Coordinates of all heavy atoms in Angstrom, one line a residue:
M8 N 121.2 -159.4 43.2 CA 120.5 -158.3 43.8 C 120.2 -157.3 42.7 O 121.0 -156.9 41.8 CB 121.4 -157.7 44.8 CG 120.8 -156.5 45.5 SD 122.0 -155.9 46.8 CE 120.9 -155.4 48.0
S9 N 118.9 -156.8 42.7 CA 118.5 -155.8 41.6 C 118.9 -154.4 42.0 O 119.1 -154.0 43.1 CB 117.0 -155.9 41.4 OG 116.4 -155.6 42.6
A10 N 119.1 -153.6 40.9 CA 119.5 -152.2 41.1 C 118.3 -151.4 41.6 O 117.2 -151.6 41.2 CB 120.0 -151.6 39.8
P11 N 118.5 -150.4 42.5 CA 117.4 -149.5 42.9 C 116.8 -148.7 41.8 O 117.5 -148.3 40.9 CB 118.0 -148.6 44.0 CG 119.5 -148.6 43.7 CD 119.8 -150.0 43.1
V12 N 115.5 -148.4 41.9 CA 114.8 -147.6 40.9 C 114.8 -146.2 41.3 O 114.4 -145.9 42.4 CB 113.4 -148.1 40.7 CG1 112.6 -147.2 39.7 CG2 113.4 -149.6 40.2
N13 N 115.3 -145.3 40.5 CA 115.3 -143.9 40.7 C 114.0 -143.3 40.0 O 114.0 -143.2 38.8 CB 116.6 -143.2 40.2 CG 116.6 -141.7 40.6 OD1 115.6 -141.0 40.5 ND2 117.7 -141.3 41.0
V14 N 113.0 -142.9 40.8 CA 111.7 -142.5 40.2 C 111.9 -141.2 39.4 O 111.3 -141.0 38.4 CB 110.7 -142.3 41.3 CG1 109.4 -141.7 40.8 CG2 110.4 -143.6 42.0
D15 N 112.7 -140.3 39.9 CA 112.9 -139.0 39.2 C 113.5 -139.2 37.9 O 113.2 -138.6 36.9 CB 113.8 -138.1 40.0 CG 113.1 -137.5 41.3 OD1 111.8 -137.5 41.2 OD2 113.8 -137.2 42.2
V16 N 114.5 -140.2 37.8 CA 115.1 -140.5 36.5 C 114.1 -141.1 35.6 O 114.0 -140.7 34.4 CB 116.3 -141.4 36.7 CG1 116.8 -141.9 35.3 CG2 117.4 -140.7 37.4
K17 N 113.3 -142.0 36.1 CA 112.3 -142.7 35.3 C 111.3 -141.6 34.7 O 110.9 -141.7 33.6 CB 111.5 -143.7 36.1 CG 112.3 -144.9 36.4 CD 112.4 -145.9 35.2 CE 113.1 -147.2 35.6 NZ 113.4 -147.9 34.4
L18 N 110.8 -140.7 35.6 CA 109.8 -139.7 35.2 C 110.4 -138.7 34.2 O 109.8 -138.2 33.3 CB 109.3 -139.0 36.4 CG 108.4 -139.8 37.3 CD1 107.9 -138.9 38.5 CD2 107.2 -140.3 36.6
G19 N 111.8 -138.5 34.3 CA 112.4 -137.6 33.4 C 112.5 -138.0 32.0 O 112.8 -137.2 31.1
V20 N 112.2 -139.3 31.8 CA 112.2 -139.8 30.4 C 110.9 -139.3 29.6 O 111.0 -139.1 28.4 CB 112.2 -141.4 30.4 CG1 112.0 -142.0 29.0 CG2 113.4 -141.9 31.0
N21 N 109.9 -139.0 30.4 CA 108.6 -138.5 29.7 C 108.8 -137.1 29.2 O 109.7 -136.4 29.7 CB 107.5 -138.6 30.7 CG 107.2 -140.0 31.2 OD1 107.2 -140.9 30.4 ND2 107.0 -140.2 32.5
K22 N 107.9 -136.8 28.3 CA 108.0 -135.4 27.7 C 106.7 -134.7 28.1 O 105.6 -135.3 28.1 CB 108.1 -135.5 26.2 CG 108.3 -134.2 25.5 CD 108.5 -134.5 24.0 CE 108.2 -133.2 23.3 NZ 108.0 -133.5 21.8
F23 N 106.8 -133.4 28.5 CA 105.6 -132.7 28.9 C 105.5 -131.5 28.0 O 106.5 -130.8 27.8 CB 105.8 -132.2 30.4 CG 105.9 -133.3 31.4 CD1 107.1 -133.8 31.8 CD2 104.7 -133.8 31.9 CE1 107.2 -134.8 32.7 CE2 104.8 -134.9 32.9 CZ 106.0 -135.4 33.2
N24 N 104.3 -131.2 27.6 CA 104.0 -130.0 26.8 C 103.0 -129.2 27.7 O 101.8 -129.5 27.7 CB 103.4 -130.3 25.4 CG 103.3 -129.1 24.6 OD1 103.8 -128.0 24.9 ND2 102.6 -129.2 23.5
V25 N 103.6 -128.3 28.5 CA 102.8 -127.6 29.5 C 102.0 -126.5 28.8 O 102.5 -125.6 28.1 CB 103.7 -127.0 30.6 CG1 102.9 -126.3 31.6 CG2 104.5 -128.1 31.2
D26 N 100.7 -126.5 29.1 CA 99.8 -125.4 28.6 C 99.8 -124.3 29.7 O 99.1 -124.2 30.7 CB 98.3 -126.0 28.5 CG 97.4 -125.0 27.9 OD1 97.8 -123.8 27.7 OD2 96.3 -125.4 27.6
E27 N 100.7 -123.3 29.4 CA 100.9 -122.2 30.3 C 99.7 -121.3 30.5 O 99.5 -120.7 31.5 CB 102.1 -121.3 29.9 CG 103.4 -122.1 29.6 CD 104.2 -122.4 30.9 OE1 103.7 -122.0 32.0 OE2 105.2 -123.1 30.8
A28 N 98.9 -121.3 29.5 CA 97.7 -120.4 29.5 C 96.5 -121.0 30.1 O 95.5 -120.3 30.4 CB 97.4 -120.0 28.0
H29 N 96.5 -122.3 30.4 CA 95.3 -122.9 30.9 C 95.6 -124.1 31.8 O 95.8 -125.2 31.4 CB 94.5 -123.4 29.7 CG 93.1 -124.0 30.1 ND1 92.0 -123.2 30.2 CD2 92.7 -125.3 30.4 CE1 91.0 -124.0 30.6 NE2 91.4 -125.2 30.7
P30 N 95.7 -123.8 33.2 CA 96.0 -124.9 34.1 C 94.9 -125.9 34.1 O 93.7 -125.5 34.2 CB 96.1 -124.1 35.5 CG 96.0 -122.7 35.2 CD 95.6 -122.5 33.8
H31 N 95.3 -127.2 34.0 CA 94.2 -128.2 33.9 C 93.8 -128.6 35.3 O 92.8 -129.3 35.5 CB 94.6 -129.4 33.1 CG 95.7 -130.2 33.6 ND1 97.0 -129.8 33.7 CD2 95.7 -131.4 34.2 CE1 97.7 -130.8 34.2 NE2 97.0 -131.8 34.6
I32 N 94.5 -128.2 36.4 CA 94.1 -128.5 37.7 C 94.2 -127.1 38.5 O 95.2 -126.5 38.4 CB 95.1 -129.5 38.4 CG1 95.0 -130.8 37.7 CG2 94.7 -129.7 39.9 CD1 96.1 -131.8 38.1
V33 N 93.1 -126.8 39.2 CA 93.1 -125.5 39.9 C 92.7 -125.8 41.4 O 91.7 -126.5 41.6 CB 92.0 -124.6 39.3 CG1 92.0 -123.3 40.1 CG2 92.4 -124.3 37.8
I34 N 93.5 -125.3 42.3 CA 93.2 -125.4 43.7 C 92.2 -124.4 44.2 O 92.2 -123.2 43.7 CB 94.5 -125.3 44.5 CG1 95.4 -126.5 44.2 CG2 94.3 -125.3 46.0 CD1 96.7 -126.6 44.9
K35 N 91.3 -124.8 45.1 CA 90.3 -123.8 45.6 C 91.0 -122.6 46.3 O 92.1 -122.8 46.8 CB 89.4 -124.6 46.6 CG 88.4 -125.5 46.0 CD 87.6 -126.1 47.1 CE 86.3 -126.5 46.6 NZ 85.1 -125.8 46.9
G36 N 90.3 -121.6 46.4 CA 90.7 -120.4 47.2 C 90.9 -120.7 48.6 O 91.8 -120.3 49.3
Q37 N 90.0 -121.5 49.2 CA 90.0 -121.9 50.6 C 90.0 -123.5 50.6 O 89.0 -124.1 51.0 CB 88.8 -121.4 51.4 CG 88.8 -119.9 51.4 CD 89.8 -119.3 52.3 OE1 90.2 -119.8 53.3 NE2 90.4 -118.1 51.8
P38 N 91.1 -124.1 50.3 CA 91.1 -125.6 50.2 C 91.1 -126.2 51.6 O 91.6 -125.6 52.6 CB 92.4 -125.9 49.5 CG 93.3 -124.8 49.8 CD 92.4 -123.6 49.9
D39 N 90.6 -127.4 51.7 CA 90.6 -128.2 52.9 C 92.1 -128.5 53.2 O 92.7 -129.3 52.4 CB 89.8 -129.5 52.7 CG 89.7 -130.3 54.0 OD1 90.8 -130.5 54.6 OD2 88.6 -130.9 54.3
S40 N 92.7 -128.0 54.2 CA 94.1 -128.2 54.4 C 94.5 -129.6 54.7 O 95.6 -130.1 54.4 CB 94.6 -127.3 55.6 OG 93.9 -127.5 56.7
A41 N 93.6 -130.4 55.3 CA 93.9 -131.8 55.6 C 94.0 -132.6 54.3 O 94.8 -133.5 54.1 CB 92.8 -132.4 56.5
V42 N 93.1 -132.2 53.3 CA 93.2 -132.9 52.0 C 94.4 -132.5 51.3 O 95.1 -133.4 50.7 CB 91.9 -132.6 51.2 CG1 92.0 -133.2 49.8 CG2 90.7 -133.1 52.0
L43 N 94.8 -131.3 51.3 CA 96.0 -130.8 50.7 C 97.2 -131.6 51.3 O 98.1 -132.0 50.5 CB 96.2 -129.3 50.9 CG 95.6 -128.4 49.8 CD1 96.1 -127.0 50.1 CD2 96.0 -128.8 48.4
E44 N 97.2 -131.7 52.6 CA 98.3 -132.5 53.2 C 98.3 -133.9 52.7 O 99.4 -134.4 52.4 CB 98.0 -132.5 54.7 CG 98.9 -133.4 55.5 CD 100.3 -132.8 55.8 OE1 100.4 -131.6 55.8 OE2 101.2 -133.6 56.0
L45 N 97.2 -134.5 52.5 CA 97.1 -135.8 52.0 C 97.7 -135.9 50.6 O 98.4 -136.8 50.2 CB 95.6 -136.3 52.0 CG 95.3 -137.7 51.4 CD1 96.0 -138.7 52.2 CD2 93.8 -137.9 51.3
L46 N 97.4 -134.9 49.8 CA 97.9 -134.8 48.4 C 99.4 -134.7 48.3 O 100.0 -135.2 47.4 CB 97.2 -133.7 47.6 CG 95.7 -133.8 47.4 CD1 95.2 -132.7 46.7 CD2 95.4 -135.1 46.8
T47 N 100.0 -134.1 49.3 CA 101.5 -134.0 49.3 C 102.1 -135.5 49.4 O 103.2 -135.7 49.0 CB 102.1 -133.2 50.5 OG1 101.7 -133.9 51.8 CG2 101.5 -131.8 50.5
R48 N 101.3 -136.4 49.9 CA 101.8 -137.8 50.0 C 101.3 -138.7 48.9 O 101.9 -139.7 48.6 CB 101.5 -138.4 51.4 CG 102.3 -137.8 52.5 CD 101.9 -138.3 53.9 NE 100.8 -137.4 54.4 CZ 99.6 -137.9 54.8 NH1 99.4 -139.1 54.9 NH2 98.7 -137.0 55.3
A49 N 100.2 -138.3 48.3 CA 99.5 -139.2 47.3 C 99.9 -138.9 45.9 O 99.9 -139.9 45.1 CB 98.0 -139.0 47.5
C50 N 100.3 -137.7 45.6 CA 100.6 -137.4 44.2 C 101.9 -138.2 43.8 O 103.0 -137.9 44.4 CB 100.8 -135.9 44.0 SG 101.4 -135.5 42.3
P51 N 101.9 -139.1 42.8 CA 103.1 -139.8 42.5 C 104.2 -139.0 41.9 O 105.4 -139.4 41.9 CB 102.6 -140.9 41.5 CG 101.3 -140.3 40.9 CD 100.7 -139.4 42.0
A52 N 103.9 -137.8 41.4 CA 104.9 -136.9 40.8 C 105.4 -135.9 41.8 O 106.3 -135.1 41.5 CB 104.3 -136.2 39.6
G53 N 104.8 -135.9 43.0 CA 105.3 -135.0 44.1 C 105.1 -133.5 43.7 O 105.9 -132.7 44.0
L54 N 103.9 -133.2 43.1 CA 103.7 -131.8 42.7 C 103.0 -131.0 43.7 O 103.0 -129.8 43.6 CB 102.8 -131.9 41.4 CG 103.4 -132.6 40.2 CD1 102.4 -132.5 39.0 CD2 104.7 -132.1 39.8
Y55 N 102.5 -131.6 44.8 CA 102.0 -130.9 45.9 C 103.1 -130.9 47.0 O 103.4 -131.9 47.5 CB 100.7 -131.5 46.5 CG 99.6 -131.5 45.6 CD1 99.4 -132.5 44.6 CD2 98.6 -130.6 45.6 CE1 98.4 -132.5 43.7 CE2 97.5 -130.6 44.8 CZ 97.4 -131.5 43.8 OH 96.3 -131.5 42.9
K56 N 103.7 -129.7 47.2 CA 104.9 -129.6 48.0 C 104.6 -128.8 49.3 O 104.2 -127.7 49.2 CB 106.1 -129.0 47.3 CG 106.6 -129.9 46.2 CD 107.9 -129.4 45.7 CE 108.7 -130.4 44.8 NZ 108.0 -131.0 43.7
K57 N 104.9 -129.4 50.4 CA 104.7 -128.7 51.7 C 105.9 -127.7 51.9 O 107.0 -128.1 51.7 CB 104.7 -129.7 52.8 CG 104.3 -129.1 54.1 CD 103.5 -130.1 55.0 CE 102.9 -129.4 56.1 NZ 102.1 -130.2 57.0
Q58 N 105.5 -126.5 52.3 CA 106.5 -125.5 52.5 C 106.9 -125.4 54.0 O 106.2 -125.9 54.8 CB 105.9 -124.1 52.0 CG 105.4 -124.1 50.6 CD 106.5 -124.5 49.6 OE1 107.4 -123.7 49.4 NE2 106.4 -125.6 48.9
E59 N 107.9 -124.6 54.3 CA 108.4 -124.5 55.6 C 107.3 -123.9 56.5 O 107.2 -124.2 57.7 CB 109.7 -123.7 55.7 CG 110.9 -124.6 55.3 CD 112.2 -123.8 55.5 OE1 112.2 -122.8 56.2 OE2 113.2 -124.3 55.0
D60 N 106.5 -123.0 56.0 CA 105.4 -122.3 56.8 C 104.2 -123.2 56.9 O 103.2 -122.8 57.5 CB 105.1 -121.0 56.2 CG 104.4 -121.1 54.8 OD1 104.3 -122.2 54.3 OD2 104.1 -120.0 54.3
G61 N 104.2 -124.4 56.4 CA 103.1 -125.3 56.5 C 102.1 -125.3 55.3 O 101.3 -126.1 55.2
S62 N 102.3 -124.3 54.5 CA 101.4 -124.2 53.3 C 101.8 -125.2 52.3 O 102.9 -125.8 52.4 CB 101.4 -122.7 52.7 OG 102.7 -122.5 52.2
V63 N 100.9 -125.4 51.3 CA 101.2 -126.4 50.3 C 101.3 -125.7 48.9 O 100.4 -124.9 48.6 CB 100.2 -127.5 50.2 CG1 100.4 -128.4 49.0 CG2 100.2 -128.3 51.5
R64 N 102.4 -125.8 48.2 CA 102.5 -125.2 46.9 C 102.3 -126.3 45.8 O 102.7 -127.5 46.0 CB 103.9 -124.7 46.7 CG 104.0 -123.5 45.8 CD 105.4 -123.0 45.6 NE 106.0 -123.7 44.6 CZ 107.3 -123.9 44.5 NH1 108.1 -123.4 45.4 NH2 107.8 -124.6 43.5
F65 N 101.6 -125.9 44.8 CA 101.3 -126.9 43.7 C 101.7 -126.3 42.3 O 101.5 -125.1 42.1 CB 99.8 -127.2 43.7 CG 99.3 -128.0 42.5 CD1 99.7 -129.3 42.4 CD2 98.5 -127.5 41.5 CE1 99.3 -130.1 41.3 CE2 98.1 -128.2 40.4 CZ 98.5 -129.5 40.3
D66 N 102.2 -127.1 41.5 CA 102.6 -126.7 40.2 C 102.1 -127.9 39.2 O 102.6 -129.0 39.4 CB 104.1 -126.5 40.0 CG 104.5 -126.0 38.7 OD1 103.6 -125.9 37.8 OD2 105.7 -125.8 38.4
Y67 N 101.2 -127.6 38.3 CA 100.6 -128.6 37.5 C 101.6 -129.1 36.4 O 101.3 -130.1 35.8 CB 99.3 -128.2 36.9 CG 99.4 -127.0 35.9 CD1 99.5 -127.2 34.5 CD2 99.4 -125.7 36.4 CE1 99.6 -126.1 33.7 CE2 99.5 -124.6 35.5 CZ 99.6 -124.8 34.2 OH 99.7 -123.8 33.3
A68 N 102.7 -128.4 36.1 CA 103.7 -128.9 35.2 C 104.3 -130.1 35.7 O 104.7 -130.2 36.9 CB 104.7 -127.8 35.0
G69 N 104.3 -131.2 34.9 CA 104.9 -132.4 35.4 C 103.8 -133.4 35.8 O 104.1 -134.5 36.3
C70 N 102.5 -133.0 35.6 CA 101.4 -133.9 36.0 C 101.4 -135.1 35.1 O 101.5 -135.1 33.9 CB 100.1 -133.1 35.9 SG 98.7 -134.1 36.2
L71 N 101.2 -136.3 35.8 CA 101.1 -137.6 35.1 C 99.7 -137.9 34.6 O 99.5 -138.9 34.0 CB 101.6 -138.7 36.0 CG 103.0 -138.5 36.6 CD1 103.4 -139.5 37.6 CD2 104.1 -138.4 35.4
E72 N 98.7 -137.0 35.0 CA 97.3 -137.2 34.6 C 96.8 -138.5 35.1 O 96.0 -139.2 34.5 CB 97.2 -137.1 33.1 CG 97.6 -135.8 32.5 CD 97.7 -135.7 31.0 OE1 97.0 -136.5 30.4 OE2 98.5 -134.9 30.5
C73 N 97.2 -138.9 36.3 CA 96.8 -140.2 36.9 C 95.4 -140.1 37.5 O 94.7 -141.1 37.7 CB 97.8 -140.6 38.0 SG 97.9 -139.6 39.4
G74 N 95.0 -138.9 37.9 CA 93.7 -138.7 38.5 C 93.6 -138.9 40.0 O 92.5 -138.8 40.6
T75 N 94.7 -139.2 40.7 CA 94.7 -139.4 42.1 C 94.1 -138.2 42.9 O 93.3 -138.3 43.7 CB 96.1 -139.8 42.6 OG1 96.5 -141.0 41.9 CG2 96.1 -140.1 44.1
C76 N 94.7 -137.0 42.5 CA 94.2 -135.8 43.3 C 92.8 -135.5 43.0 O 92.0 -134.9 43.8 CB 95.1 -134.7 43.0 SG 95.3 -134.1 41.3
R77 N 92.3 -135.9 41.8 CA 90.9 -135.7 41.4 C 90.0 -136.5 42.3 O 89.0 -136.0 42.9 CB 90.7 -136.0 40.0 CG 89.3 -135.8 39.5 CD 89.1 -136.3 38.0 NE 87.8 -135.9 37.5 CZ 86.7 -136.6 37.6 NH1 86.8 -137.7 38.3 NH2 85.6 -136.2 37.1
I78 N 90.4 -137.7 42.5 CA 89.6 -138.6 43.3 C 89.6 -138.2 44.8 O 88.6 -138.2 45.5 CB 90.0 -140.1 43.2 CG1 89.7 -140.6 41.8 CG2 89.4 -141.0 44.2 CD1 90.3 -141.9 41.4
L79 N 90.8 -137.8 45.3 CA 90.9 -137.5 46.7 C 90.5 -136.0 47.0 O 90.1 -135.8 48.1 CB 92.4 -137.6 47.1 CG 92.9 -139.1 47.1 CD1 94.4 -139.0 47.5 CD2 92.2 -140.0 48.1
G80 N 90.6 -135.1 46.0 CA 90.5 -133.7 46.4 C 89.5 -132.9 45.7 O 89.3 -131.7 46.0
L81 N 88.8 -133.4 44.7 CA 87.9 -132.6 43.9 C 86.7 -132.2 44.8 O 86.2 -133.0 45.5 CB 87.4 -133.3 42.7 CG 86.6 -132.5 41.7 CD1 87.5 -131.3 41.2 CD2 86.1 -133.3 40.5
D82 N 86.4 -130.9 44.9 CA 85.4 -130.3 45.7 C 85.9 -129.9 47.1 O 85.5 -128.9 47.6 CB 84.1 -131.2 45.8 CG 83.4 -131.3 44.5 OD1 83.5 -130.4 43.7 OD2 82.8 -132.4 44.3
S83 N 86.8 -130.7 47.7 CA 87.3 -130.3 49.0 C 88.6 -129.4 48.9 O 88.7 -128.4 49.6 CB 87.6 -131.5 49.9 OG 88.5 -132.4 49.2
A84 N 89.5 -129.8 48.0 CA 90.7 -129.0 47.9 C 90.9 -128.4 46.4 O 91.5 -127.4 46.3 CB 91.9 -129.9 48.2
L85 N 90.3 -129.1 45.5 CA 90.4 -128.7 44.1 C 89.2 -128.0 43.6 O 88.1 -128.6 43.7 CB 90.8 -129.9 43.2 CG 92.1 -130.7 43.6 CD1 92.3 -131.8 42.6 CD2 93.3 -129.8 43.8
E86 N 89.4 -126.9 42.9 CA 88.2 -126.3 42.2 C 87.9 -127.0 40.9 O 86.7 -127.2 40.6 CB 88.7 -124.8 41.9 CG 87.6 -124.0 41.3 CD 86.5 -123.6 42.4 OE1 86.9 -123.3 43.5 OE2 85.3 -123.7 42.0
S87 N 88.9 -127.4 40.2 CA 88.6 -128.1 39.0 C 89.8 -129.1 38.6 O 90.9 -128.8 39.0 CB 88.4 -127.2 37.8 OG 89.5 -126.4 37.6
W88 N 89.4 -130.1 37.9 CA 90.4 -131.0 37.4 C 89.9 -131.5 36.0 O 88.8 -132.0 35.8 CB 90.5 -132.3 38.3 CG 91.7 -133.2 38.0 CD1 92.8 -133.3 38.8 CD2 91.9 -134.1 36.9 NE1 93.7 -134.2 38.3 CE2 93.1 -134.7 37.1 CE3 91.1 -134.4 35.8 CZ2 93.6 -135.7 36.2 CZ3 91.6 -135.4 34.9 CH2 92.8 -136.0 35.1
E89 N 90.8 -131.2 35.0 CA 90.4 -131.6 33.6 C 91.7 -132.2 33.0 O 92.8 -132.0 33.5 CB 90.1 -130.4 32.7 CG 89.1 -129.5 33.3 CD 89.0 -128.2 32.5 OE1 90.0 -127.7 32.0 OE2 87.9 -127.6 32.5
Y90 N 91.5 -133.0 32.0 CA 92.7 -133.4 31.2 C 93.2 -132.2 30.4 O 92.4 -131.3 30.1 CB 92.3 -134.5 30.2 CG 92.2 -135.9 30.9 CD1 91.0 -136.5 31.0 CD2 93.3 -136.5 31.4 CE1 90.9 -137.7 31.7 CE2 93.2 -137.8 32.0 CZ 92.0 -138.3 32.1 OH 91.9 -139.5 32.8
P91 N 94.5 -132.1 30.2 CA 95.0 -131.0 29.4 C 94.3 -130.9 28.0 O 93.9 -132.0 27.5 CB 96.5 -131.2 29.3 CG 96.8 -132.2 30.4 CD 95.5 -133.0 30.6
R92 N 94.3 -129.7 27.4 CA 93.7 -129.6 26.1 C 94.6 -130.4 25.1 O 95.8 -130.7 25.4 CB 93.7 -128.1 25.7 CG 92.8 -127.3 26.6 CD 92.7 -125.9 26.1 NE 93.9 -125.1 26.2 CZ 94.0 -123.9 25.8 NH1 93.0 -123.3 25.2 NH2 95.2 -123.3 25.9
G93 N 94.0 -130.7 24.0 CA 94.7 -131.5 22.9 C 96.1 -130.9 22.6 O 96.3 -129.7 22.6
T94 N 97.0 -131.8 22.4 CA 98.5 -131.6 22.2 C 99.2 -131.2 23.4 O 100.5 -131.2 23.4 CB 98.8 -130.6 21.1 OG1 98.5 -129.2 21.6 CG2 98.0 -130.8 19.8
F95 N 98.5 -130.9 24.6 CA 99.2 -130.5 25.8 C 99.2 -131.7 26.7 O 98.5 -132.7 26.6 CB 98.6 -129.3 26.5 CG 98.7 -128.1 25.7 CD1 97.7 -127.5 25.0 CD2 100.0 -127.4 25.8 CE1 97.8 -126.3 24.3 CE2 100.1 -126.2 25.1 CZ 99.1 -125.7 24.4
G96 N 100.1 -131.7 27.7 CA 100.1 -132.7 28.8 C 101.3 -133.6 28.6 O 102.3 -133.3 27.9
I97 N 101.2 -134.8 29.2 CA 102.3 -135.7 29.2 C 102.3 -136.6 28.0 O 101.3 -137.0 27.4 CB 102.3 -136.6 30.5 CG1 103.6 -137.4 30.6 CG2 101.0 -137.5 30.5 CD1 103.7 -138.1 31.9
E98 N 103.5 -136.9 27.5 CA 103.8 -137.9 26.5 C 104.6 -138.9 27.1 O 105.8 -138.7 27.4 CB 104.5 -137.2 25.3 CG 104.7 -138.1 24.1 CD 105.4 -137.4 23.0 OE1 105.0 -136.3 22.6 OE2 106.4 -138.0 22.5
Y99 N 104.0 -140.1 27.4 CA 104.8 -141.2 28.1 C 105.8 -141.8 27.2 O 105.6 -142.0 26.0 CB 103.8 -142.2 28.6 CG 103.1 -141.8 29.8 CD1 101.8 -141.4 29.8 CD2 103.8 -141.9 31.1 CE1 101.1 -141.1 31.0 CE2 103.1 -141.5 32.2 CZ 101.8 -141.1 32.2 OH 101.2 -140.8 33.3
R100 N 107.0 -142.0 27.7 CA 108.0 -142.7 27.0 C 108.6 -143.8 27.9 O 108.6 -143.6 29.2 CB 109.2 -141.7 26.7 CG 108.7 -140.7 25.7 CD 109.9 -139.8 25.4 NE 109.5 -138.9 24.3 CZ 110.3 -137.9 23.9 NH1 111.4 -137.7 24.5 NH2 109.9 -137.1 22.9
Y101 N 109.1 -144.8 27.4 CA 109.6 -145.9 28.2 C 111.2 -145.8 28.1 O 111.7 -145.5 27.0 CB 109.2 -147.3 27.6 CG 107.7 -147.4 27.8 CD1 106.8 -147.2 26.7 CD2 107.1 -147.8 29.0 CE1 105.5 -147.4 26.8 CE2 105.8 -147.9 29.1 CZ 105.0 -147.7 28.1 OH 103.6 -147.8 28.2
G102 N 111.8 -146.1 29.1 CA 113.3 -146.1 29.1 C 113.9 -146.6 30.4 O 113.2 -146.9 31.3
Ligands
SF4_204 S1 96.7 -136.1 38.4 FE1 98.2 -137.4 39.5 S2 100.2 -136.6 38.9 FE2 98.7 -135.0 38.3 S3 98.8 -133.6 40.1 FE3 97.1 -135.1 40.4 S4 98.0 -136.8 41.7 FE4 99.7 -135.6 40.8

């Protein structure tokens, strides 16, 4: 029998250099709430978090740069999606 995989532990091996001055993903002022809801389930890093009041909170720190939210939400929920500027973003590590 194989051991269960702990995703948080696996993701914790990676290193992030967060660009505090320039968010590489920006949510629209009036996002499509159904799409935001979808992103709470689609983001592999769990960065779109549903709050108790039903709103969705997003923090781009910890982004895996997979592009899932770009494909699902650009124009409807997201104002912009770019890769982080040079030297910023995720540095993948295996472990
Ligand atoms: S690019 Fe991927 S990891 Fe980053 S916020 Fe979007 S869905 Fe989540």
Side-chain angles (χ1 to χ4, degrees):
M8 183 178 214
S9 60
V12 174
N13 184 319
V14 176
D15 288 336
V16 169
K17 289 281 186 193
L18 291 178
V20 174
N21 298 316
K22 188 176 158 196
F23 298 91
N24 188 12
V25 180
D26 188 349
E27 305 282 356
H29 186 85
H31 69 285
I32 300 171
V33 177
I34 294 185
K35 282 181 156 252
Q37 299 290 323
D39 182 320
S40 57
V42 175
L43 270 187
E44 170 80 25
L45 178 63
L46 295 180
T47 64
R48 288 177 273 126
C50 173
L54 300 181
Y55 295 85
K56 289 192 168 50
K57 191 147 189 177
Q58 306 299 294
E59 283 186 11
D60 66 0
S62 65
V63 173
R64 208 181 87 208
F65 172 69
D66 184 357
Y67 64 94
C70 176
L71 304 173
E72 301 169 27
C73 68
T75 301
C76 61
R77 180 182 188 277
I78 290 169
L79 295 175
L81 191 59
D82 294 333
S83 56
L85 305 183
E86 186 70 42
S87 62
W88 192 107
E89 312 167 328
Y90 283 108
R92 298 186 293 177
T94 75
F95 291 106
I97 188 169
E98 182 181 311
Y99 282 103
R100 294 178 172 177
Y101 297 99

